[in-house]
């Protein structure tokens, strides 16, 4: 292979090939077979001791499911979050592996775009808490209250949990359609910071619950990667802490008590309508709301079980109470990653990346990429010089 | 009913493609548009020259299909029916490809774009590509490489006569609405004449040019 001045050194390229292979969860034998070389040759390539030939590079990229350009682009960053998820005891199925790769790809794209554009993501992380011995729920309740205070949130409902995590704390937050069993993923890396991926196929209340849980994870067990399945039994103190943190953060005790008092004033019984209105106000699921009421002793233990045994609280009942428009608004979300999209649009506008590169970085089809670009162009045309940014 | 093409407006633009373009290599940015027309076999057959896509482009269309859409199946049908030939990069073209995907991000291209240019350059064919950055890089690196766009395919005299203005108008409108096909300034009037003024607003990728043209007309009217 030719050796031009702008080419990567064999050591850097070898390292990138190794990360790409590990991310694809492939053994050296598989890569070597695909490239038609001996395993020892691939080892030498990965160590930078033997330059890779262009035909071999082409075969390896195809085998690992990455583009040749992503391996050779100078600014390309190689994040290795996937192997960390694989080391978790409950990892291993196709859905979680795919979700881990999605998160890895999105983080990698965002960091590369930051490098290309010369911008930095400010981090405003609160100090990390540790889980102490004793009642984890009480600790989580206290920590959630402290974080709310630190963020200046007061006691009200959180309007947009994901914007808060993204814009106020500087956590990398994305939502994409994932396997239905996976609710969210959390990872932390010193270089790229905290990263969260939420399942966009879930309804808003469930997404919020996942987000609240991951925020708890971020608060107390930041260094540990996690795959969160909200239907799974709470089998560890960390899990119990994160769930309790999420509940306390989204439904603060005092605010729930206050709202409960207002809504039930004059009523003799707790009805489905009360639950629906409270859950909608705090942006949480009906089940989460009832369990929180039980926890705060605003209703008897077993209230949720009673509702479940008596027909539950149906979507139709929710639609009737909050209206069809509000009901539709809390449904499935369009995959989002606002900041990543802004960076990509800016890089495209400056002719730094092509449509093909943008499509590959964002893992979006061409039509979706063009939709983003058309929307951005339309907005740009409306902008008057008065709104020109000073930098 | 679609209005018939006016002779004068029809003449405002002519396809870049000529008899010199004996083989066409289509990039993903073009394939996506041609498939969205709903008349891909008719358009590509009417060109009466071999049409090639690289295996990289086939792979990109396949990946895009994973996020919804039927493009990959349609492209595979065209390949199976010999309307389009799938080609792989070899020897010199592979080296050219390597040069196009390497370096800093601002001078490198995505795999499909690079493969399209490398194959076209190596086989003396014409690259059909709508992508701006790829067009710029092709101009800088391969001065002699013949370049054209999706609109050049649609405006090719053979395609115009094979489809007729009604079908061609429908095909173009579909590519604009479903694939958000890019149109360059010198192609705008031809496109509007074809799809009809009343359809311009429904094509997001035409908004910027439409606004510019409106602004220009208003200035001329004010004089």
């Amino acid at each position: 292979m030719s050796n031009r001045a702008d080419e990567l050194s064999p050591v850097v390229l070898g390292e990138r090939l190794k990360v790409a292979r590990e991310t694809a969860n492939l053994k050296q034998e598989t890569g070597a077979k695909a490239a038609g070389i001996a395993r020892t040759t691939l080892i030498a390539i990965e160590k930078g001791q033997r330059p890779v030939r262009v035909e071999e590079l082409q075969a390896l990229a195809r085998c690992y499911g990455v583009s040749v350009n992503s391996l050779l682009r100078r600014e390309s960053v190689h994040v290795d979050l996937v192997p960390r998820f694989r080391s978790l005891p409950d990892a291993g199925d196709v859905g979680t592996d795919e979700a881990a790769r999605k998160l890895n790809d999105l983080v990698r794209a965002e960091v590369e775009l930051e490098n290309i554009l010369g911008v930095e993501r400010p981090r405003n992380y609160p100090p990390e808490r540790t889980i102490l011995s004793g009642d984890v729920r009480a600790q989580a309740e206290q920590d959630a209250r402290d974080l709310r205070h630190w963020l200046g949130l007061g006691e009200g409902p959180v309007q947009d949990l994901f914007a808060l995590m993204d814009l106020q704390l500087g956590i990398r937050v994305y939502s994409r359609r994932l396997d239905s069993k996976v609710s969210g993923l959390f990872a932390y890396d010193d270089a790229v910071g905290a990263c969260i991926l939420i399942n966009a196929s879930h309804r808003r209340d469930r997404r919020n619950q996942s987000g609240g849980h991951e925020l708890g994870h971020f608060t107390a067990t930041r260094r540990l990667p996690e795959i969160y399945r909200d239907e799974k039994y709470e089998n560890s103190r960390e899990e119990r802490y994160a769930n309790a943190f999420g509940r306390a953060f989204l439904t603060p005790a005092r605010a729930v008590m206050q709202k409960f008092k207002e809504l039930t004033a004059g009523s003799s019984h707790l009805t489905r309508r009360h639950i629906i209105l409270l859950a909608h106000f705090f942006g949480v699921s009906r089940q989460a709301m009832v369990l929180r009421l039980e926890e705060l002793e605003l209703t008897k233990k077993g209230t949720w079980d009673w509702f479940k045994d008596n027909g539950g609280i149906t979507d139709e009942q929710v639609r009737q109470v909050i209206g069809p428009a509000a009901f539709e608004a809390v449904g499935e979300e369009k995959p989002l990653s606002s900041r990543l999209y802004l960076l990509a649009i800016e890089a495209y506008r400056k002719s730094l990346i092509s449509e093909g590169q943008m499509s590959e970085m964002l893992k979006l089809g061409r039509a979706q990429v063009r939709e983003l670009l058309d929307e951005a162009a339309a907005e740009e045309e409306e902008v008057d010089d008065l709104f020109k940014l000073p930098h | 009913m679609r209005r018939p093409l006016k002779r004068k407006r029809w003449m405002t633009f002519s396809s870049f493609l000529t008899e010199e373009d004996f083989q066409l290599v289509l990039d993903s940015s073009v394939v996506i548009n041609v498939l969205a027309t709903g008349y891909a076999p008719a358009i590509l057959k009417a060109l009466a020259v071999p049409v090639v896509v690289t295996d990289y482009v086939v792979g990109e269309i396949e990946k895009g299909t994973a996020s919804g859409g039927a493009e990959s199946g349609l492209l595979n049908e065209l390949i199976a029916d010999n309307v389009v030939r799938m080609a792989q990069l070899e020897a010199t073209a592979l080296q050219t490809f390597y040069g196009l995907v390497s370096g800093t991000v601002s001078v490198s291209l995505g795999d499909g774009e690079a493969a399209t240019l490398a194959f076209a350059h190596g086989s003396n064919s014409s690259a059909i590509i709508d992508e701006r950055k790829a067009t710029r890089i092709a101009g800088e690196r391969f001065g002699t490489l013949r370049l054209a766009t999706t609109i050049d395919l649609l405006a090719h005299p053979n395609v115009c006569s094979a489809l007729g203005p009604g079908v061609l108008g429908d095909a173009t409108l579909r590519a604009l609405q479903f694939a958000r096909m890019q149109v360059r300034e010198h192609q705008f009037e031809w496109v509007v004449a074809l799809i009809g003024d009343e359809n311009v607003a429904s094509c997001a990728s035409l908004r910027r040019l439409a606004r510019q043209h409106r602004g220009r007309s208003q200035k001329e009217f004010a004089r």
Side-chain angles (χ1 to χ4, degrees):
Chain A
M1 202 155 77
S2 62
N3 219 340
R4 298 187 337 223
D6 61 347
E7 275 176 19
L8 299 172
S9 73
V11 175
V12 174
L13 185 50
E15 179 59 30
R16 288 184 177 191
L17 282 166
K18 187 174 172 228
V19 172
R21 181 178 57 73
E22 284 173 351
T23 301
N25 204 18
L26 293 172
K27 293 201 165 80
Q28 284 168 333
E29 284 88 354
T30 315
K33 198 175 167 196
I37 52 176
R39 192 177 75 90
T40 46
T41 310
L42 183 61
I43 293 171
I45 289 172
E46 288 185 355
K47 286 183 177 163
Q49 293 160 348
R50 143 68 154 95
V52 63
R53 297 196 181 101
V54 65
E55 296 83 359
E56 294 161 358
L57 187 65
Q58 193 184 26
L60 290 173
R62 205 159 277 167
C63 176
Y64 301 161
V66 297
S67 76
V68 183
N69 181 230
S70 74
L71 290 167
L72 293 177
R73 276 198 305 267
R74 188 154 282 279
E75 297 88 342
S76 195
V77 285
H78 290 257
V79 180
D80 59 348
L81 300 178
V82 180
R84 302 179 203 195
F85 286 110
R86 286 207 190 107
S87 64
L88 297 176
D90 53 355
D93 65 83
V94 180
T96 53
D97 205 62
E98 204 182 290
R101 288 184 70 167
K102 264 187 192 156
L103 177 61
N104 198 76
D105 287 341
L106 292 166
V107 172
R108 203 174 71 177
E110 186 168 342
V111 175
E112 183 176 355
L113 287 164
E114 284 167 4
N115 293 345
I116 293 169
L117 292 165
V119 295
E120 238 176 88
R121 174 182 267 282
R123 285 185 205 173
N124 187 28
Y125 298 171
E128 196 173 350
R129 299 281 169 105
T130 42
I131 300 178
L132 307 166
S133 49
D135 186 346
V136 279
R137 288 200 172 89
Q139 287 175 46
E141 190 89 30
Q142 179 64 46
D143 292 350
R145 207 166 25 235
D146 290 350
L147 182 61
R148 274 184 155 265
H149 180 71
W150 191 77
L151 290 165
L153 282 181
E155 290 283 336
V158 179
Q159 292 303 325
D160 186 340
L161 177 66
F162 299 104
L164 183 134
M165 291 198 284
D166 182 353
L167 302 174
Q168 211 165 335
L169 293 170
I171 300 173
R172 299 181 191 277
V173 185
Y174 315 95
S175 75
R176 283 286 190 278
R177 290 194 179 92
L178 307 174
D179 184 289
S180 63
K181 294 192 297 292
V182 180
S183 304
L185 271 81
F186 175 91
Y188 183 88
D189 177 276
D190 283 330
V192 300
C195 320
I196 292 173
L197 175 61
I198 299 290
N199 194 340
S201 310
H202 291 172
R203 292 171 52 84
R204 192 186 69 174
D205 49 19
R206 206 166 157 195
R207 292 196 306 270
N208 277 346
Q209 187 179 324
S210 309
H213 175 99
E214 299 301 13
L215 189 59
H217 196 82
F218 165 78
T219 303
T221 40
R222 200 171 290 177
R223 306 263 154 189
L224 301 174
E226 190 213 29
I227 300 163
Y228 173 53
R229 297 181 181 89
D230 58 3
E231 281 163 351
K232 208 180 64 174
Y233 180 66
E234 293 180 343
N235 57 2
S236 68
R237 282 172 66 77
E238 288 79 11
E239 191 93 3
R240 282 204 297 280
Y241 174 93
N243 281 345
F245 183 99
R247 277 200 302 276
F249 192 83
L250 292 167
T251 46
R254 191 146 195 96
V256 173
M257 289 169 179
Q258 183 66 38
K259 208 72 201 160
F260 181 82
K261 189 181 166 196
E262 284 168 28
L263 282 173
T264 55
S267 304
S268 56
H269 290 87
L270 180 67
T271 64
R272 288 183 171 83
R273 179 173 287 268
H274 293 132
I275 307 293
I276 291 167
L277 288 171
L278 279 168
H280 184 61
F281 181 74
F282 288 103
V284 297
S285 70
R286 299 144 232 177
Q287 181 184 11
M289 197 65 246
V290 177
L291 294 178
R292 184 65 170 150
L293 295 180
E294 289 181 23
E295 194 171 48
L296 297 173
E297 297 179 4
L298 292 165
T299 184
K300 279 185 208 158
K301 293 270 179 225
T303 304
W304 178 247
D305 291 335
W306 183 89
F307 275 119
K308 253 192 352 193
D309 295 342
N310 289 276
I313 305 175
T314 65
D315 285 354
E316 190 43 45
Q317 288 162 339
V318 176
R319 190 181 280 114
Q320 279 172 11
V321 173
I322 66 172
F327 182 76
E328 294 310 323
V330 299
E332 188 178 305
E333 189 187 50
K334 208 170 142 184
L336 271 182
S337 21
S338 323
R339 187 172 177 274
L340 174 62
Y341 287 173
L342 279 177
L343 293 172
I345 290 164
E346 191 58 16
Y348 179 85
R349 210 180 54 77
K350 290 184 169 161
S351 204
L352 293 169
I353 58 169
S354 66
E355 186 183 280
Q357 287 171 318
M358 186 163 167
S359 163
E360 188 233 322
M361 280 177 169
L362 303 184
K363 307 288 170 217
L364 295 175
R366 295 297 175 112
Q368 291 164 292
V369 165
R370 290 177 184 181
E371 190 181 343
L372 272 183
L373 294 171
D374 281 341
E375 280 170 10
E379 277 173 21
E380 214 168 89
E381 277 171 35
E382 286 170 1
V383 173
D384 192 272
D385 277 348
L386 279 173
F387 303 131
K388 208 165 200 154
L389 294 167
H391 53 75
Chain B
M1 214 175 96
R2 188 169 306 285
R3 65 178 71 160
L5 284 174
K6 287 176 193 162
R7 184 79 189 151
K8 191 179 158 219
R9 296 181 80 182
W10 176 259
M11 295 300 287
T12 55
F13 168 70
S14 61
S15 170
F16 274 16
L17 296 173
T18 67
E19 284 167 1
E20 281 181 63
D21 301 284
F22 71 92
Q23 177 164 271
L24 310 178
V25 189
L26 270 50
D27 177 49
S28 305
S29 57
V30 171
V31 170
I32 213 85
N33 299 334
V34 174
L35 294 175
T37 61
Y39 296 93
I43 292 166
L44 298 175
K45 281 181 193 166
L47 291 164
V49 289
V51 177
V52 179
V53 290
T54 65
D55 51 349
Y56 278 102
V57 164
V58 175
E60 283 184 353
I61 301 294
E62 219 165 80
K63 275 190 187 159
T65 304
S67 47
E71 291 87 357
S72 182
L74 294 170
L75 179 59
N76 285 329
E77 268 175 43
L78 292 174
I79 294 168
D81 295 343
N82 295 319
V83 179
V84 171
R85 178 169 74 85
M86 183 171 79
Q88 290 183 336
L89 303 178
E90 278 161 18
T92 321
L94 198 52
Q95 290 296 336
T96 311
F97 166 79
Y98 179 78
L100 287 167
V101 290
S102 307
T104 60
V105 71
S106 61
V107 299
S108 72
L109 291 173
D111 286 7
E113 297 147 351
T116 301
L117 296 180
F119 188 85
H121 180 66
S123 59
N124 228 1
S125 315
S126 308
I128 315 298
I129 192 158
D130 279 10
E131 217 289 317
R132 279 184 319 169
K133 184 182 161 195
T135 307
R136 169 174 64 77
I137 288 178
E140 287 163 7
R141 296 211 189 172
F142 319 109
T144 54
L145 178 64
R146 292 181 63 80
L147 295 166
T149 64
T150 312
I151 296 290
D152 293 305
L153 292 184
L154 299 174
H156 190 285
N158 290 357
V159 175
C160 294
S161 58
L163 268 67
V167 172
L168 187 60
D170 276 340
T172 307
L173 186 59
R174 288 169 64 98
L176 288 162
Q177 288 176 332
F178 302 142
R180 297 169 178 260
M181 174 172 64
Q182 297 300 301
V183 172
R184 302 200 176 163
E185 200 171 346
H186 67 281
Q187 301 166 335
F188 180 73
E189 283 196 13
W190 181 83
V191 169
V192 175
L194 197 58
I195 64 167
D197 285 325
E198 69 280 11
N199 286 313
V200 171
S202 68
C203 306
S205 61
L206 288 180
R207 269 185 216 140
R208 185 181 55 84
L209 288 175
R211 191 185 286 244
Q212 282 174 6
H213 274 252
R214 251 200 324 272
R216 213 171 293 151
S217 310
Q218 280 165 356
K219 272 186 196 161
E220 279 168 19
F221 181 75
R223 265 192 222 140

